[in-house]
């Protein structure tokens, strides 16, 4: 004879030999006095579905009477209990699906989100379950996955996501798992730019006419102007983020600029043109003109990657901001790029569909998907972009790296 559970608030109490039968042998519930245990709703539903409980007697807050699925008199079976819980508990259905799936995969689980009794777990509020190492019980504390359950149409905050396992439940109740980890990128590229470069600022790029050979071949900066019958050698086009970074380091100066609006050109510093504040300020201002405040974020991430001896190049072909190379010796012997980097705001919220698209694409081209959560000085202002200091035209920024990939528990 299987025991009956009794719903009391958000906990289902089970007496008799419940502690030995369910908690000690299967990691279900939280021990109370004697052999009684308290189960969360999702744990009770799982035991009810498996036939390990004969039914659930609802408390005064639940429905009364039998429906052909329980023994009557307030005791209900799985179907009725599932519907009751879906109405009473936040996102019960998707949480149950993930709980049952991980149980079927051989994991012991503890609910970790109030008001779900069943485990005394120190976990972030967004975490729904703690899955323990196979063979481990909640009493041993060997955590394998802190699981955050997300429905396909929900959104989730990117901040603080590192260290969690995401279980995304789609509209057909299939579950996709993602692992979110700290994704800091460190390279081994040994290249120092030359002391001095001079370029011309165009509408959305900078041309250096006499770039030294190593700028592109060893440092992988820019793209050469080449052709089968080229009469000019050494001309390299730099993107605005590349040019702004080099200018901020005191390497690049401007001999002229082309106004983005009217196509007019002007000589550099001292003529009343934007270059009067210095080449870095002029290039940053142009970047903001063509891209808005996203330019500040992308520039901050670009400089962090270069500072970590990685080589960032455009990720446009992959729908990302950058692709990265960790160890570049020469472009002629270029290694495979290791990461796709997408720059997002520090308070960005992902949609699961967006996340799935990015991760799937990165995996398809054998790269790791990394998100750069970037908070630039001045975030939180209404409409304006923070103006750079006169001696430092590149705004300060905090960057948090988040790597997300598919996971099979």
């Amino acid at each position: 004879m299987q025991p009956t559970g009794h719903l009391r608030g958000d906990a289902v109490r089970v007496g008799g030999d419940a502690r030995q039968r369910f908690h000690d042998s299967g990691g279900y519930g939280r021990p109370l006095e004697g052999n009684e245990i308290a189960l969360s709703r999702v744990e009770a539903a799982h035991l009810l579905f498996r036939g390990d409980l004969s039914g659930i007697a609802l408390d005064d807050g639940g429905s009364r009477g039998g429906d052909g699925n329980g023994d009557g008199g307030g005791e209900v079976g799985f179907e009725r209990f599932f519907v009751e819980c879906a109405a009473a508990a936040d996102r019960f259905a998707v949480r149950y699906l993930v709980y049952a799936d991980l149980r079927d995969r051989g994991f012991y689980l503890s609910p970790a989100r109030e008001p779900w009794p069943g485990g005394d777990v120190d976990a972030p509020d967004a975490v729904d379950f703690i899955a323990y190492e196979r063979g481990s019980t909640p009493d041993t504390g060997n955590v394998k996955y802190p699981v955050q359950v997300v429905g396909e149409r929900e959104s989730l905050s990117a901040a603080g996501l590192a260290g969690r396992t995401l279980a995304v439940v789609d509209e057909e109740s299939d579950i996709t798992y993602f692992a979110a980890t700290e994704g800091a990128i460190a390279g081994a590229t040994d290249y120092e730019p030359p002391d001095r470069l001079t370029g011309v600022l165009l509408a959305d790029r900078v041309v250096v006419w006499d770039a030294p050979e190593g700028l592109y071949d060893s440092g992988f900066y820019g793209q050469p102007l080449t052709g089968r019958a080229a009469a000019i050698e050494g001309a390299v086009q730099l993107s605005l983020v590349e040019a702004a970074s080099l200018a901020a380091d005191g390497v690049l100066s401007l001999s002229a600029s082309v106004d983005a609006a009217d196509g007019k050109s002007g000589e550099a510093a001292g003529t009343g043109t934007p270059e009067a504040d210095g080449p870095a300020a002029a290039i940053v201002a142009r970047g903001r003109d063509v891209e808005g405040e996203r330019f500040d974020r992308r520039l901050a991430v670009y400089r962090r990657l270069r500072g970590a001896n990685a080589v960032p190049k455009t990720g446009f072909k992959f729908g990302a901001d950058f692709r990265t190379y960790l160890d570049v010796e020469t472009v002629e012997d270029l290694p495979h790029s290791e990461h796709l980097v997408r720059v997002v705001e520090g308070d960005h919220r992902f949609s699961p569909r967006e996340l799935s698209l990015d991760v799937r694409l990165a995996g398809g081209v054998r790269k790791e998907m990394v998100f750069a959560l970037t908070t630039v000085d001045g975030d939180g202002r209404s409409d304006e972009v923070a103006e750079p200091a006169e001696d430092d035209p590149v705004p300060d920024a905090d960057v948090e790296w988040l790597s997300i990939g598919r996971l099979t528990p």
Side-chain angles (χ1 to χ4, degrees), residues 117-409:
D120 184 13
V121 178
D122 182 15
D125 289 342
V127 170
D128 294 286
F129 305 112
I130 295 295
Y132 299 93
E133 297 274 2
R134 285 189 175 91
S136 297
T137 66
D139 295 331
T140 63
N142 297 323
V143 175
K144 179 68 173 178
Y145 303 119
V147 182
Q148 179 175 345
V149 180
V150 185
E152 177 186 347
R153 297 179 180 87
E154 298 179 56
S155 66
L156 66 155
S157 173
L161 206 55
R164 300 180 197 168
T165 297
L166 301 177
V168 179
V169 183
D170 67 24
E171 66 179 357
E172 295 184 352
S173 299
D174 284 333
I175 303 169
T176 303
Y177 293 95
F178 298 93
T181 59
E182 292 184 4
I185 298 173
T189 300
D190 185 17
Y191 175 77
E192 289 293 330
D195 292 336
R196 181 62 57 186
L197 295 169
T198 302
V200 175
L201 176 60
L202 304 181
D204 62 351
R205 65 204 63 220
V206 170
V207 177
V208 178
W209 295 111
D210 56 352
E213 183 177 351
L215 184 69
Y216 173 75
D217 292 340
S218 300
F220 207 5
Y221 281 93
Q223 182 73 23
L225 282 171
T226 59
R228 292 184 178 179
I232 297 177
E233 295 183 359
V236 171
Q237 293 187 89
L238 301 172
S239 71
L240 289 177
V241 289
E242 291 175 313
S245 182
L246 288 169
D249 289 337
V251 170
L252 177 67
S253 60
L254 299 176
S255 61
S257 69
V258 174
D259 187 275
D262 59 21
K264 295 179 180 179
S265 62
E267 296 181 358
T271 65
T273 62
E275 291 83 349
D277 293 327
I283 299 169
V284 168
R286 183 62 53 83
R288 291 171 177 171
D289 286 342
V290 300
E291 194 175 351
E293 65 177 337
R294 281 195 71 249
F295 182 80
D296 289 349
R297 303 180 195 284
R298 294 180 63 245
L299 176 57
V301 172
Y302 179 91
R303 287 177 61 76
R304 290 294 181 92
L305 291 169
R306 279 286 183 180
N309 296 323
V311 176
K313 298 294 287 184
T314 178
F316 173 79
K317 292 181 180 179
F318 306 102
D321 289 288
F322 302 109
R323 67 190 194 275
T324 65
Y325 300 87
L326 298 186
D327 190 3
V328 175
E329 294 185 3
T330 172
V331 173
E332 291 183 357
D333 188 23
L334 197 64
H336 181 76
S337 61
E338 293 88 351
H339 306 89
L340 292 182
V341 179
R342 191 152 76 86
V343 180
V344 298
E345 297 182 16
D347 59 356
H348 181 72
R349 295 190 67 85
F350 290 112
S351 73
R353 184 181 297 274
E354 164 196 19
L355 205 59
S356 181
L357 284 170
D358 285 335
V359 172
R360 174 68 74 178
L361 191 150
V365 292
R366 297 180 295 120
K367 304 183 196 307
E368 179 182 348
M369 190 69 222
V370 177
F371 297 91
L373 281 56
T374 310
T375 304
V376 179
D377 266 7
D379 275 2
R381 57 197 180 276
S382 54
D383 298 320
E384 13 184 280
V385 175
E387 289 299 326
E390 186 173 343
D391 58 346
D392 184 8
V394 179
D396 290 332
D398 293 325
V399 180
E400 178 185 344
W401 304 97
L402 179 66
S403 172
I404 299 183
R406 289 285 296 270
L407 171 71
T408 302

